[in-house]
Amino acid sequence: MTAGQDGRAFLVLDGLTRRFSGRPAVDGVSLSIPEGEFFTIVGPSGSGKSTLIRMLAGLERPDAGRILLRGADITAMPANRRPTCMVFQSLALFSHRSVGENIAFALKMRGVDAATRRARALELMELVRLPADYLDRPVTQCSGGERQRVALARALASDPEILFFDEPLSAIDYRLRKILEMEMKDLHARTGKTFLYITHSLEEAMVMSDRIAIMRAGRIVQIGPPREIYARPNSRFVAEFMGEVNVFAVRGGRIEGLDRPAAAQSGFLILRPEALRPLGPADHADVSFPARIETGYLLGSRSQLHLSALGRRLVAELPGAAAAELRPGQEGRWGFDLADAVVTPE
């Protein structure tokens, strides 16, 4: 459990459970999130991540378990009394109001005077990189990226301790999404707020997060920094969910199809495509085998190759220069080192 500056854990989920028609959507989730962390929850549709974040925001009541903020139990606290704010996928902006009115709406509801609201809106517009002359612009005249910035500024207006994000970038085109990912990460660093984010996009999670939690069937199955989860998944499910993989069965400590020792236990040997490489006459690898290149695809600065080997399809990814001389139909030896693979239990 991670403690805050006062020695207590910041945000703690203790056995949080939510059922629908008797079936658990969230099943006994327990975790601790330190203050100021960018924490992202990812998982397939129906894994329970949206239900979990709605309980944390006070929009859904758990059937069991507790939510603690700085040691205080806020499980039964209404959403409007929690020091938190949610940014929804739809953004939920008021189309009949200006940019400034949208940003300062929560302050108006609290009775804050107009001059103070205006000053706060301008301050937040500068923070999210919106021009000051947008203050009185109708929000309907803003682009998708600008509307996203308005929603972020509105969420920050009441100075919440935690910001929750429910897939806010999912409806934005790829180029703008990449820009906003970096701006979101920068905004997190500049505000020092705790961000709790859910997404289907592994790219978003990898780029922005301090830690990622993988959910499956209402439970968290692995938590860790992005690079750790990608390189060292604790199960075949996590490995495959986090990206393209080559999976070899391991029985009796040996890799099936290769009869090569791999680990003491049985399970699955997980190998990322970038760990599989072509071997020249003088090259060595812990594991090697003949393979034929079937197809190739350009992925920006990398190339993905589909190989036929060991009676199956394998996937390799190489830098563009390394793949320049490789063509479909070519045969040769390929291999990998066991240090670049991980064996997970069955």
Side-chain angles (χ1 to χ4, degrees):
M1 188 174 291
T2 307
Q5 292 180 345
D6 60 359
R8 293 177 297 180
F10 180 64
L11 178 65
V12 175
L13 285 62
D14 180 17
L16 215 56
T17 298
R18 181 72 170 103
R19 300 182 185 90
F20 295 105
S21 301
R23 299 176 60 126
V26 174
D27 191 5
V29 169
S30 295
L31 62 88
S32 178
I33 299 172
E35 187 170 11
E37 185 172 55
F38 198 128
F39 189 88
T40 300
I41 302 171
V42 297
S45 297
S47 60
K49 57 187 185 297
S50 292
T51 301
L52 179 60
I53 203 170
R54 286 178 62 82
M55 286 192 289
L56 296 179
L59 304 175
E60 197 85 49
R61 285 291 298 270
D63 295 305
R66 299 183 302 160
I67 304 167
L68 305 176
L69 180 62
R70 297 190 188 278
D73 190 335
I74 64 167
T75 311
M77 184 181 290
N80 62 353
R81 292 186 53 208
R82 297 188 184 195
T84 64
C85 192
M86 174 86 90
V87 179
F88 295 95
Q89 179 179 340
S90 64
L91 303 185
L93 297 176
F94 299 113
S95 59
H96 61 289
R97 297 182 184 275
S98 68
V99 167
E101 289 171 334
N102 265 279
I103 292 172
F105 181 77
L107 302 180
K108 183 177 181 179
M109 293 298 96
R110 295 181 180 183
V112 176
D113 65 87
T116 302
R117 296 200 309 269
R118 184 180 181 87
R120 179 62 172 159
L122 287 168
E123 175 189 342
L124 290 167
M125 288 171 64
E126 182 179 3
L127 184 66
V128 300
R129 298 190 171 95
L130 277 172
D133 59 7
Y134 274 43
L135 184 72
D136 297 317
R137 171 177 290 200
V139 76
T140 53
Q141 295 180 14
C142 293
S143 68
E146 290 164 351
R147 289 167 63 87
Q148 188 69 54
R149 293 180 176 92
V150 173
L152 286 171
R154 184 180 64 178
L156 290 164
S158 57
D159 198 26
E161 295 196 55
I162 307 173
L163 274 78
F164 298 113
F165 299 88
D166 185 1
E167 304 197 58
L169 306 184
S170 63
I172 297 176
D173 67 76
Y174 180 81
R175 178 179 172 80
L176 179 56
R177 189 166 71 245
K178 301 311 291 181
I179 294 171
L180 289 173
E181 283 174 9
M182 300 310 298
E183 290 194 3
M184 190 91 75
K185 188 175 180 66
D186 180 59
L187 181 66
H188 172 256
R190 284 185 287 130
T191 62
K193 299 289 185 183
T194 304
F195 282 17
L196 205 156
Y197 196 99
I198 65 171
T199 180
H200 282 91
S201 170
L202 296 173
E203 276 193 58
E204 283 181 31
M206 295 287 285
V207 167
M208 297 189 296
S209 313
D210 296 319
R211 285 191 304 158
I212 296 173
I214 309 293
M215 284 195 76
R216 182 187 191 189
R219 298 181 179 181
I220 291 177
V221 294
Q222 187 169 356
I223 299 177
R227 175 53 55 183
E228 176 186 304
I229 290 185
Y230 180 81
R232 297 292 167 190
N234 64 6
S235 68
R236 179 174 180 172
F237 168 80
V238 171
E240 292 179 333
F241 186 78
M242 289 299 290
E244 194 85 59
V245 287
N246 299 296
V247 180
F248 299 85
V250 177
R251 297 287 180 268
R254 306 185 78 83
I255 306 171
E256 284 193 349
L258 291 167
D259 196 30
R260 177 71 167 77
Q265 80 271 27
S266 294
F268 298 102
L269 184 141
I270 306 296
L271 184 75
R272 293 292 179 192
E274 59 268 26
L276 188 56
R277 65 184 189 274
L279 301 175
D283 294 333
H284 171 77
D286 293 341
V287 178
S288 63
F289 44 82
R292 172 188 171 89
I293 300 174
E294 297 295 340
T295 56
Y297 304 94
L298 183 64
L299 303 175
S301 61
R302 311 181 324 277
S303 289
Q304 185 179 97
L305 303 174
H306 291 184
L307 312 176
S308 177
L310 309 171
R312 56 188 294 180
R313 190 201 77 161
L314 299 176
V315 181
E317 284 189 10
L318 301 172
E325 302 302 319
L326 300 175
R327 297 286 184 271
Q330 285 184 344
E331 297 183 354
R333 295 195 65 77
W334 288 70
F336 62 91
D337 294 325
L338 291 173
D340 295 325
V342 60
V343 177
T344 66
E346 292 181 291

mmCIF file of all heavy atoms in Angstrom, residues 297-331:
data_model
loop_
_atom_site.group_PDB
_atom_site.id
_atom_site.type_symbol
_atom_site.label_atom_id
_atom_site.label_comp_id
_atom_site.label_asym_id
_atom_site.label_seq_id
_atom_site.Cartn_x
_atom_site.Cartn_y
_atom_site.Cartn_z
ATOM 1 N N TYR A 297 4.673 -6.401 -43.935
ATOM 2 C CA TYR A 297 3.880 -5.178 -43.867
ATOM 3 C C TYR A 297 4.754 -4.064 -43.298
ATOM 4 O O TYR A 297 5.513 -4.274 -42.341
ATOM 5 C CB TYR A 297 2.662 -5.354 -42.953
ATOM 6 C CG TYR A 297 1.767 -6.498 -43.354
ATOM 7 C CD1 TYR A 297 1.932 -7.763 -42.784
ATOM 8 C CD2 TYR A 297 0.763 -6.330 -44.307
ATOM 9 C CE1 TYR A 297 1.122 -8.823 -43.146
ATOM 10 C CE2 TYR A 297 -0.054 -7.388 -44.672
ATOM 11 C CZ TYR A 297 0.130 -8.630 -44.088
ATOM 12 O OH TYR A 297 -0.669 -9.679 -44.460
ATOM 13 N N LEU A 298 4.640 -2.888 -43.885
ATOM 14 C CA LEU A 298 5.373 -1.735 -43.387
ATOM 15 C C LEU A 298 4.565 -1.055 -42.286
ATOM 16 O O LEU A 298 3.385 -0.729 -42.489
ATOM 17 C CB LEU A 298 5.644 -0.743 -44.529
ATOM 18 C CG LEU A 298 6.466 0.497 -44.161
ATOM 19 C CD1 LEU A 298 7.873 0.091 -43.731
ATOM 20 C CD2 LEU A 298 6.516 1.467 -45.332
ATOM 21 N N LEU A 299 5.174 -0.846 -41.124
ATOM 22 C CA LEU A 299 4.523 -0.178 -39.990
ATOM 23 C C LEU A 299 5.333 1.064 -39.631
ATOM 24 O O LEU A 299 5.987 1.112 -38.594
ATOM 25 C CB LEU A 299 4.433 -1.122 -38.785
ATOM 26 C CG LEU A 299 3.715 -2.454 -38.997
ATOM 27 C CD1 LEU A 299 3.840 -3.312 -37.745
ATOM 28 C CD2 LEU A 299 2.256 -2.223 -39.351
ATOM 29 N N GLY A 300 5.319 2.044 -40.506
ATOM 30 C CA GLY A 300 6.101 3.240 -40.251
ATOM 31 C C GLY A 300 7.585 2.936 -40.327
ATOM 32 O O GLY A 300 8.100 2.534 -41.372
ATOM 33 N N SER A 301 8.286 3.097 -39.217
ATOM 34 C CA SER A 301 9.732 2.855 -39.191
ATOM 35 C C SER A 301 10.072 1.386 -38.996
ATOM 36 O O SER A 301 11.248 1.017 -39.005
ATOM 37 C CB SER A 301 10.367 3.673 -38.056
ATOM 38 O OG SER A 301 9.840 3.278 -36.799
ATOM 39 N N ARG A 302 9.049 0.514 -38.828
ATOM 40 C CA ARG A 302 9.283 -0.910 -38.625
ATOM 41 C C ARG A 302 8.571 -1.699 -39.709
ATOM 42 O O ARG A 302 7.675 -1.199 -40.378
ATOM 43 C CB ARG A 302 8.754 -1.377 -37.258
ATOM 44 C CG ARG A 302 9.180 -0.524 -36.105
ATOM 45 C CD ARG A 302 8.679 -1.017 -34.762
ATOM 46 N NE ARG A 302 7.374 -1.605 -34.759
ATOM 47 C CZ ARG A 302 6.233 -0.947 -34.702
ATOM 48 N NH1 ARG A 302 6.232 0.373 -34.700
ATOM 49 N NH2 ARG A 302 5.070 -1.577 -34.662
ATOM 50 N N SER A 303 8.994 -2.941 -39.852
ATOM 51 C CA SER A 303 8.314 -3.862 -40.752
ATOM 52 C C SER A 303 7.881 -5.085 -39.963
ATOM 53 O O SER A 303 8.624 -5.574 -39.103
ATOM 54 C CB SER A 303 9.228 -4.294 -41.895
ATOM 55 O OG SER A 303 9.454 -3.230 -42.791
ATOM 56 N N GLN A 304 6.665 -5.564 -40.238
ATOM 57 C CA GLN A 304 6.183 -6.789 -39.611
ATOM 58 C C GLN A 304 6.201 -7.899 -40.653
ATOM 59 O O GLN A 304 5.699 -7.724 -41.757
ATOM 60 C CB GLN A 304 4.766 -6.606 -39.069
ATOM 61 C CG GLN A 304 4.256 -7.817 -38.300
ATOM 62 C CD GLN A 304 2.865 -7.603 -37.749
ATOM 63 O OE1 GLN A 304 1.889 -8.026 -38.355
ATOM 64 N NE2 GLN A 304 2.772 -6.960 -36.581
ATOM 65 N N LEU A 305 6.789 -9.023 -40.267
ATOM 66 C CA LEU A 305 6.908 -10.165 -41.156
ATOM 67 C C LEU A 305 6.166 -11.345 -40.564
ATOM 68 O O LEU A 305 6.276 -11.613 -39.362
ATOM 69 C CB LEU A 305 8.383 -10.532 -41.356
ATOM 70 C CG LEU A 305 9.293 -9.422 -41.905
ATOM 71 C CD1 LEU A 305 10.739 -9.889 -41.902
ATOM 72 C CD2 LEU A 305 8.860 -9.011 -43.301
ATOM 73 N N HIS A 306 5.419 -12.046 -41.409
ATOM 74 C CA HIS A 306 4.758 -13.273 -40.995
ATOM 75 C C HIS A 306 5.569 -14.437 -41.541
ATOM 76 O O HIS A 306 5.829 -14.527 -42.749
ATOM 77 C CB HIS A 306 3.323 -13.314 -41.509
ATOM 78 C CG HIS A 306 2.437 -12.314 -40.834
ATOM 79 N ND1 HIS A 306 1.083 -12.226 -41.078
ATOM 80 C CD2 HIS A 306 2.705 -11.349 -39.920
ATOM 81 C CE1 HIS A 306 0.560 -11.256 -40.341
ATOM 82 N NE2 HIS A 306 1.536 -10.710 -39.639
ATOM 83 N N LEU A 307 5.966 -15.322 -40.634
ATOM 84 C CA LEU A 307 6.835 -16.441 -40.985
ATOM 85 C C LEU A 307 6.080 -17.757 -40.877
ATOM 86 O O LEU A 307 5.195 -17.912 -40.026
ATOM 87 C CB LEU A 307 8.044 -16.500 -40.045
ATOM 88 C CG LEU A 307 8.823 -15.212 -39.778
ATOM 89 C CD1 LEU A 307 9.919 -15.469 -38.755
ATOM 90 C CD2 LEU A 307 9.387 -14.657 -41.066
ATOM 91 N N SER A 308 6.450 -18.683 -41.720
ATOM 92 C CA SER A 308 5.980 -20.063 -41.600
ATOM 93 C C SER A 308 7.131 -20.877 -41.033
ATOM 94 O O SER A 308 8.195 -20.988 -41.650
ATOM 95 C CB SER A 308 5.555 -20.600 -42.967
ATOM 96 O OG SER A 308 5.158 -21.950 -42.858
ATOM 97 N N ALA A 309 6.927 -21.419 -39.824
ATOM 98 C CA ALA A 309 7.994 -22.157 -39.151
ATOM 99 C C ALA A 309 7.387 -23.105 -38.137
ATOM 100 O O ALA A 309 6.377 -22.779 -37.490
ATOM 101 C CB ALA A 309 8.966 -21.204 -38.454
ATOM 102 N N LEU A 310 7.989 -24.253 -37.997
ATOM 103 C CA LEU A 310 7.566 -25.221 -36.976
ATOM 104 C C LEU A 310 6.099 -25.602 -37.142
ATOM 105 O O LEU A 310 5.394 -25.885 -36.172
ATOM 106 C CB LEU A 310 7.815 -24.655 -35.572
ATOM 107 C CG LEU A 310 9.226 -24.116 -35.305
ATOM 108 C CD1 LEU A 310 9.272 -23.388 -33.971
ATOM 109 C CD2 LEU A 310 10.246 -25.256 -35.333
ATOM 110 N N GLY A 311 5.607 -25.559 -38.387
ATOM 111 C CA GLY A 311 4.223 -25.924 -38.655
ATOM 112 C C GLY A 311 3.214 -24.904 -38.189
ATOM 113 O O GLY A 311 2.035 -25.242 -37.992
ATOM 114 N N ARG A 312 3.624 -23.639 -38.060
ATOM 115 C CA ARG A 312 2.728 -22.609 -37.543
ATOM 116 C C ARG A 312 3.142 -21.255 -38.103
ATOM 117 O O ARG A 312 4.145 -21.129 -38.797
ATOM 118 C CB ARG A 312 2.798 -22.575 -36.012
ATOM 119 C CG ARG A 312 4.231 -22.365 -35.525
ATOM 120 C CD ARG A 312 4.388 -22.504 -34.047
ATOM 121 N NE ARG A 312 3.684 -21.440 -33.359
ATOM 122 C CZ ARG A 312 3.655 -21.332 -32.042
ATOM 123 N NH1 ARG A 312 4.263 -22.255 -31.290
ATOM 124 N NH2 ARG A 312 3.021 -20.357 -31.470
ATOM 125 N N ARG A 313 2.360 -20.235 -37.762
ATOM 126 C CA ARG A 313 2.698 -18.874 -38.159
ATOM 127 C C ARG A 313 3.354 -18.150 -36.996
ATOM 128 O O ARG A 313 2.865 -18.191 -35.860
ATOM 129 C CB ARG A 313 1.445 -18.109 -38.577
ATOM 130 C CG ARG A 313 1.765 -16.765 -39.230
ATOM 131 C CD ARG A 313 0.591 -15.804 -39.172
ATOM 132 N NE ARG A 313 0.458 -15.215 -37.837
ATOM 133 C CZ ARG A 313 -0.231 -14.095 -37.582
ATOM 134 N NH1 ARG A 313 -0.850 -13.474 -38.554
ATOM 135 N NH2 ARG A 313 -0.327 -13.629 -36.353
ATOM 136 N N LEU A 314 4.465 -17.489 -37.265
ATOM 137 C CA LEU A 314 5.142 -16.645 -36.289
ATOM 138 C C LEU A 314 5.198 -15.222 -36.819
ATOM 139 O O LEU A 314 5.139 -14.999 -38.031
ATOM 140 C CB LEU A 314 6.557 -17.158 -36.008
ATOM 141 C CG LEU A 314 6.680 -18.567 -35.416
ATOM 142 C CD1 LEU A 314 8.145 -18.967 -35.289
ATOM 143 C CD2 LEU A 314 5.984 -18.657 -34.057
ATOM 144 N N VAL A 315 5.297 -14.265 -35.903
ATOM 145 C CA VAL A 315 5.344 -12.855 -36.280
ATOM 146 C C VAL A 315 6.652 -12.255 -35.790
ATOM 147 O O VAL A 315 7.036 -12.430 -34.630
ATOM 148 C CB VAL A 315 4.156 -12.077 -35.666
ATOM 149 C CG1 VAL A 315 4.204 -10.613 -36.102
ATOM 150 C CG2 VAL A 315 2.846 -12.703 -36.091
ATOM 151 N N ALA A 316 7.328 -11.538 -36.686
ATOM 152 C CA ALA A 316 8.561 -10.833 -36.337
ATOM 153 C C ALA A 316 8.418 -9.370 -36.712
ATOM 154 O O ALA A 316 7.722 -9.031 -37.684
ATOM 155 C CB ALA A 316 9.755 -11.446 -37.065
ATOM 156 N N GLU A 317 9.048 -8.488 -35.932
ATOM 157 C CA GLU A 317 9.087 -7.070 -36.272
ATOM 158 C C GLU A 317 10.529 -6.614 -36.251
ATOM 159 O O GLU A 317 11.260 -6.855 -35.284
ATOM 160 C CB GLU A 317 8.242 -6.244 -35.301
ATOM 161 C CG GLU A 317 6.756 -6.366 -35.548
ATOM 162 C CD GLU A 317 5.925 -5.391 -34.736
ATOM 163 O OE1 GLU A 317 6.525 -4.480 -34.114
ATOM 164 O OE2 GLU A 317 4.694 -5.542 -34.708
ATOM 165 N N LEU A 318 10.938 -5.946 -37.329
ATOM 166 C CA LEU A 318 12.311 -5.482 -37.476
ATOM 167 C C LEU A 318 12.317 -4.009 -37.856
ATOM 168 O O LEU A 318 11.373 -3.517 -38.490
ATOM 169 C CB LEU A 318 13.019 -6.273 -38.587
ATOM 170 C CG LEU A 318 13.103 -7.795 -38.426
ATOM 171 C CD1 LEU A 318 13.652 -8.416 -39.701
ATOM 172 C CD2 LEU A 318 13.986 -8.160 -37.240
ATOM 173 N N PRO A 319 13.386 -3.273 -37.481
ATOM 174 C CA PRO A 319 13.523 -1.910 -37.989
ATOM 175 C C PRO A 319 13.516 -1.918 -39.509
ATOM 176 O O PRO A 319 13.914 -2.912 -40.143
ATOM 177 C CB PRO A 319 14.883 -1.464 -37.438
ATOM 178 C CG PRO A 319 15.139 -2.361 -36.271
ATOM 179 C CD PRO A 319 14.493 -3.670 -36.602
ATOM 180 N N GLY A 320 13.079 -0.816 -40.110
ATOM 181 C CA GLY A 320 12.953 -0.766 -41.557
ATOM 182 C C GLY A 320 14.223 -1.152 -42.289
ATOM 183 O O GLY A 320 14.186 -1.913 -43.265
ATOM 184 N N ALA A 321 15.375 -0.658 -41.822
ATOM 185 C CA ALA A 321 16.640 -0.957 -42.488
ATOM 186 C C ALA A 321 16.965 -2.443 -42.420
ATOM 187 O O ALA A 321 17.468 -3.031 -43.376
ATOM 188 C CB ALA A 321 17.762 -0.142 -41.861
ATOM 189 N N ALA A 322 16.672 -3.071 -41.285
ATOM 190 C CA ALA A 322 16.994 -4.486 -41.113
ATOM 191 C C ALA A 322 16.115 -5.374 -41.984
ATOM 192 O O ALA A 322 16.509 -6.494 -42.331
ATOM 193 C CB ALA A 322 16.840 -4.871 -39.640
ATOM 194 N N ALA A 323 14.930 -4.889 -42.343
ATOM 195 C CA ALA A 323 14.004 -5.703 -43.126
ATOM 196 C C ALA A 323 14.065 -5.401 -44.623
ATOM 197 O O ALA A 323 13.393 -6.050 -45.415
ATOM 198 C CB ALA A 323 12.574 -5.473 -42.633
ATOM 199 N N ALA A 324 14.916 -4.426 -44.999
ATOM 200 C CA ALA A 324 14.922 -3.957 -46.379
ATOM 201 C C ALA A 324 15.250 -5.056 -47.379
ATOM 202 O O ALA A 324 14.729 -5.066 -48.499
ATOM 203 C CB ALA A 324 15.908 -2.798 -46.533
ATOM 204 N N GLU A 325 16.121 -5.987 -47.004
ATOM 205 C CA GLU A 325 16.554 -7.033 -47.935
ATOM 206 C C GLU A 325 15.723 -8.314 -47.829
ATOM 207 O O GLU A 325 15.993 -9.282 -48.544
ATOM 208 C CB GLU A 325 18.027 -7.362 -47.676
ATOM 209 C CG GLU A 325 18.969 -6.178 -47.811
ATOM 210 C CD GLU A 325 18.899 -5.534 -49.194
ATOM 211 O OE1 GLU A 325 18.819 -6.288 -50.186
ATOM 212 O OE2 GLU A 325 18.888 -4.293 -49.271
ATOM 213 N N LEU A 326 14.746 -8.325 -46.960
ATOM 214 C CA LEU A 326 13.946 -9.532 -46.761
ATOM 215 C C LEU A 326 12.684 -9.467 -47.618
ATOM 216 O O LEU A 326 12.012 -8.436 -47.666
ATOM 217 C CB LEU A 326 13.584 -9.688 -45.284
ATOM 218 C CG LEU A 326 14.790 -9.818 -44.332
ATOM 219 C CD1 LEU A 326 14.319 -9.837 -42.882
ATOM 220 C CD2 LEU A 326 15.594 -11.074 -44.642
ATOM 221 N N ARG A 327 12.359 -10.582 -48.273
ATOM 222 C CA ARG A 327 11.227 -10.623 -49.177
ATOM 223 C C ARG A 327 10.391 -11.878 -48.934
ATOM 224 O O ARG A 327 10.922 -12.908 -48.508
ATOM 225 C CB ARG A 327 11.713 -10.640 -50.637
ATOM 226 C CG ARG A 327 12.490 -9.404 -51.080
ATOM 227 C CD ARG A 327 11.556 -8.217 -51.281
ATOM 228 N NE ARG A 327 12.281 -7.062 -51.787
ATOM 229 C CZ ARG A 327 12.874 -6.153 -51.027
ATOM 230 N NH1 ARG A 327 12.810 -6.279 -49.701
ATOM 231 N NH2 ARG A 327 13.506 -5.125 -51.550
ATOM 232 N N PRO A 328 9.076 -11.812 -49.208
ATOM 233 C CA PRO A 328 8.258 -13.029 -49.142
ATOM 234 C C PRO A 328 8.848 -14.137 -50.012
ATOM 235 O O PRO A 328 9.315 -13.890 -51.127
ATOM 236 C CB PRO A 328 6.899 -12.565 -49.668
ATOM 237 C CG PRO A 328 6.854 -11.098 -49.342
ATOM 238 C CD PRO A 328 8.264 -10.613 -49.524
ATOM 239 N N GLY A 329 8.828 -15.335 -49.464
ATOM 240 C CA GLY A 329 9.387 -16.480 -50.161
ATOM 241 C C GLY A 329 10.791 -16.845 -49.732
ATOM 242 O O GLY A 329 11.252 -17.969 -49.989
ATOM 243 N N GLN A 330 11.482 -15.914 -49.098
ATOM 244 C CA GLN A 330 12.847 -16.208 -48.650
ATOM 245 C C GLN A 330 12.832 -17.203 -47.494
ATOM 246 O O GLN A 330 11.976 -17.134 -46.614
ATOM 247 C CB GLN A 330 13.570 -14.931 -48.210
ATOM 248 C CG GLN A 330 14.011 -14.037 -49.354
ATOM 249 C CD GLN A 330 14.806 -12.835 -48.878
ATOM 250 O OE1 GLN A 330 14.786 -12.496 -47.701
ATOM 251 N NE2 GLN A 330 15.504 -12.191 -49.798
ATOM 252 N N GLU A 331 13.802 -18.093 -47.495
ATOM 253 C CA GLU A 331 13.959 -19.073 -46.424
ATOM 254 C C GLU A 331 15.295 -18.861 -45.733
ATOM 255 O O GLU A 331 16.268 -18.431 -46.361
ATOM 256 C CB GLU A 331 13.855 -20.496 -46.988
ATOM 257 C CG GLU A 331 12.501 -20.800 -47.601
ATOM 258 C CD GLU A 331 12.397 -22.228 -48.087
ATOM 259 O OE1 GLU A 331 13.425 -22.945 -48.042
ATOM 260 O OE2 GLU A 331 11.294 -22.639 -48.499
#
